Amino acid sequence: MAIDNRDHIPNNVNLGEKRALQRALEHWQPQFLDWWKEMGPLGFADADVYLRTATAVDAQGWASYGMVRMPEYRWGIFLADAVPDRRIGFGDAFGEPVWQQVPGEHRSALRRLIVTQGDTEPASVEQQRMLGHTCPSLYDLRNLFQVNVEEGRHLWAMAYLLHGYFGRDGREEADELLARHSGDLDKPRILGTFNEPIADWLSFFMFTYFTDRDGRFQLKSLAESAFDPLSRTCRFMLAEEAFHMFVGASGITRIVKRTLEVTRALGSDDPAAVRNAGAIDLPTLQRYINFWFSSSLDLFGAEISSNAASYFASSLKGRPDEARFTDHLATEQSLRVELPDGLGGVTAEDVPMRSAINEVTRAAYIRDCGTGLGRWNRLIGEAGNDFRFNLPSLRFHRSLGVWAGVHTDPKGRPITDEAWRLHQADWLPSAEDRAFVSGLMQRVIEPGKVAGWIAPPEIGINNAPFDYEYVRLN
Ligand code: BYC
């Protein structure tokens, strides 16, 4: 179904014929806009930004580009086309027709999943609120804003489900999505990573590489859901999400390139010399990787999780790309999961597959994270440098699950508290690293110019050149 952009709320869900729902969402819309004004990008409400907006969900229509002021962005409700005769792909209801309404017995679990997903979207906009003031180029500024407006749209996607399928509790939860705030001591966002500050662009690129990728895998798992409206909305969100990860992957690639250029010019990769020359040394990049990767690993939940087992059993949340698995009931298999042995070592346990679903999803995520590192390491190798990035062990620096509170080195070897205190600054960004990175963040807004710590992109947006005026600051 085509998107009707003349509607007050653009949508392809026939909103005009669902009067009560339309009224409820029209009531929520000004609250959303107030939230955007208060918590969205600070100071750019009047800027014209070269943004893509969805005008249809098919391959041609979903990316229309033009100059838009962010508060006038057409946030709407877009579901991927329904799959005819779609059947439930996993869990106890495997093979049955998917649901168009929420079964009473699954109502609260499903609402919890939708709220948790929805909570991350505005959280990320809040985390990135100040970044516009230190953008390395107009191209990057535009990409930040594209990511922000789309996270706002993903919030709309979840608010629609809450309003449309969960009655009064859903409306209250949709209000709460605008009331919690990232890092707020009294009303923080639900998941840990979304309360971490994103104070500099290096963190932004790491976040879009590692944390948005968690989003990709969670959305893939929710796209498998028996609740068809959730599945359809997640499938469309995944199309938008790809760009966010491109921003992260290409951003880090450009930083690495610039560091290698500086290293070549200096004839040295001494971190202090690289820093003096205004680039980010590779060991600092590794520490940022360690931080954002380990924080994002927590987002998959505990290794052994009765929540995950019951989501799977109830066909609410599957595994990413469920069709690739052979056994969709997952009642017979088990997965070997590593645990601390309580004596400073590592042991392993066979866990029934349904209870280990978070671990299966985390493993798929870790494999996917490796692709960017492979590319960056190739660039480093081609520059004749011996340094290589590594993903730390999944035991390293965890705040959630069986490894929470157990100190290990990046290889996952348990270490004493004393050794942790001694080496922490070698493995995670220190206050000094953060101060250095923050010192590099100077705003560059001349078309075609870029900050000294990052290389320009190879191509622009939608075939426009790099020196296109992607943002007009009015
Ligand atoms: N921090 O059995 P457990 C994205 C809670 S990112 C704090 O271990 P479960 C995006 C958990 O809620 C994707 N609390 O795990 C990216 C539970 O609480 P309740 C977001 C945490 O339930 C960038 C308790 O601990 N989407 O889209 O199997 C920009 C025990 O849970 C954390 C989703 O997450 C944490 N890290 O799985 C913008 C999908 N982890 O219920 C957007 C929806 C867990 O006992 N969420 N807890 O009060 C889920 O599927 C699951 O809630 C989780 C946790 C995967 C997060």
Side-chain angles (χ1 to χ4, degrees):
M1 196 192 150
I3 291 172
D4 192 344
N5 264 308
R6 289 163 311 177
D7 279 352
H8 199 41
I9 301 171
N11 72 90
N12 68 349
V13 295
N14 247 337
L15 199 55
E17 287 170 21
K18 301 170 185 163
R19 289 286 175 212
L21 175 58
Q22 188 177 30
R23 265 199 310 278
L25 284 166
E26 282 178 359
H27 183 72
W28 189 78
Q29 191 176 36
Q31 296 177 48
F32 168 84
L33 288 170
D34 284 347
W35 166 81
W36 180 270
K37 277 182 210 138
E38 266 178 53
M39 303 304 292
L42 181 71
F44 292 91
D46 294 330
D48 291 307
V49 188
Y50 187 63
L51 292 178
R52 87 178 170 191
T53 307
T55 53
V57 291
D58 61 16
Q60 290 80 35
W62 75 275
S64 302
Y65 289 84
M67 283 292 178
V68 176
R69 291 190 179 184
M70 282 186 281
E72 289 155 25
Y73 185 78
R74 304 286 283 141
W75 284 287
I77 300 159
F78 313 127
L79 268 55
D81 289 337
V83 174
D85 191 34
R86 182 172 167 248
R87 300 276 154 165
I88 297 172
F90 65 94
D92 293 344
F94 177 71
E96 294 173 16
V98 292
W99 318 318
Q100 298 308 328
Q101 292 296 331
V102 180
E105 68 270 33
H106 299 319
R107 198 180 153 84
S108 104
L110 203 44
R111 191 182 59 215
R112 180 84 188 139
L113 282 172
I114 293 169
V115 165
T116 308
Q117 176 63 48
D119 191 71
T120 63
E121 315 289 0
S124 67
V125 176
E126 293 167 357
Q127 287 171 291
Q128 296 161 17
R129 172 154 209 257
M130 305 301 287
L131 287 177
H133 296 283
T134 53
C135 63
S137 73
L138 278 187
Y139 163 93
D140 290 292
L141 185 62
R142 177 264 165 211
N143 286 350
L144 166 72
F145 293 156
Q146 181 72 57
V147 168
N148 290 162
V149 293
E150 284 177 353
E151 300 301 7
R153 208 206 66 70
H154 291 180
L155 167 60
W156 268 94
M158 294 301 127
Y160 159 71
L161 294 177
L162 291 169
H163 275 274
Y165 296 91
F166 294 89
R168 189 187 168 153
D169 327 347
R171 289 195 293 278
E172 285 171 6
E173 290 286 9
D175 289 348
E176 285 298 302
L177 289 176
L178 299 172
R180 284 184 291 271
H181 296 310
S182 177
D184 189 311
L185 288 181
D186 297 326
K187 271 189 161 258
R189 291 297 177 182
I190 297 171
L191 301 176
T193 312
F194 294 89
N195 290 303
E196 295 289 348
I198 302 183
D200 56 68
W201 281 75
L202 176 56
S203 298
F204 171 65
F205 290 130
M206 291 287 168
F207 179 92
T208 39
Y209 187 82
F210 288 109
T211 311
D212 274 280
R213 196 169 304 270
D214 165 54
R216 172 171 137 86
F217 280 84
Q218 296 297 337
L219 290 173
K220 273 170 167 282
S221 301
L222 293 173
E224 301 291 342
S225 182
F227 179 46
D228 204 41
L230 175 61
S231 166
R232 289 175 58 197
T233 205
C234 288
R235 275 192 281 132
F236 186 62
M237 288 162 78
L238 278 163
E240 292 168 314
E241 197 66 39
F243 175 72
H244 305 189
M245 283 179 304
F246 161 80
V247 168
S250 60
I252 300 173
T253 302
R254 289 163 52 208
I255 298 174
V256 171
K257 267 190 176 171
R258 181 64 190 140
T259 301
L260 294 172
E261 278 168 17
V262 167
T263 305
R264 206 173 307 129
L266 286 171
S268 156
D269 63 357
D270 173 53
V274 173
R275 283 183 174 205
N276 271 338
I280 307 177
D281 53 292
L282 299 177
T284 298
L285 292 177
Q286 176 70 63
R287 288 193 284 278
Y288 274 73
I289 290 173
N290 291 350
F291 177 83
W292 285 103
F293 175 67
S294 56
S295 178
S296 301
L297 286 181
D298 281 340
L299 293 172
F300 291 84
E303 288 74 5
I304 306 168
S305 166
S306 57
N307 282 350
S310 94
Y311 295 149
F312 190 90
S314 329
S315 307
L316 301 181
K317 183 183 175 198
R319 291 167 289 194
D321 304 307
E322 183 63 43
R324 287 200 201 158
F325 293 83
T326 46
D327 171 11
H328 300 295
L329 299 183
T331 42
E332 306 297 324
Q333 299 159 319
S334 60
L335 189 75
R336 202 149 180 81
V337 172
E338 286 182 344
L339 315 160
D341 66 3
L343 304 164
V346 184
T347 179
E349 198 178 282
D350 287 324
V351 175
M353 188 57 84
R354 285 184 173 188
S355 299
I357 295 289
N358 288 344
E359 208 47 21
V360 174
T361 310
R362 191 168 12 241
Y365 165 82
I366 293 172
R367 281 194 297 278
D368 202 51
C369 284
T371 53
L373 271 84
R375 198 172 324 126
W376 306 327
N377 282 340
R378 259 196 310 283
L379 287 176
I380 298 171
E382 282 161 16
N385 192 314
D386 294 335
F387 188 94
R388 294 292 179 270
F389 292 124
N390 287 300
L391 288 177
S393 158
L394 54 71
R395 299 175 214 149
F396 174 76
H397 187 233
R398 293 291 303 280
S399 305
L400 199 129
V402 292
W403 293 98
V406 178
H407 289 318
T408 79
D409 68 9
K411 290 205 160 20
R413 290 176 295 226
I415 55 170
T416 61
D417 292 357
E418 181 58 22
W420 173 257
R421 263 196 304 279
L422 220 60
H423 289 289
Q424 192 178 352
D426 299 331
W427 299 331
L428 292 170
S430 62
E432 195 222 322
D433 290 335
R434 291 188 189 280
F436 163 70
V437 171
S438 145
L440 286 180
M441 302 291 127
Q442 308 289 340
R443 157 154 124 156
V444 178
I445 49 168
E446 225 181 296
K449 292 270 169 3
V450 65
W453 53 271
I454 185 167
E458 272 164 23
I459 47 165
I461 295 297
N462 191 33
N463 294 325
F466 172 60
D467 62 4
Y468 182 69
E469 195 176 359
Y470 287 102
V471 181
R472 286 190 207 123
L473 303 167
N474 296 310

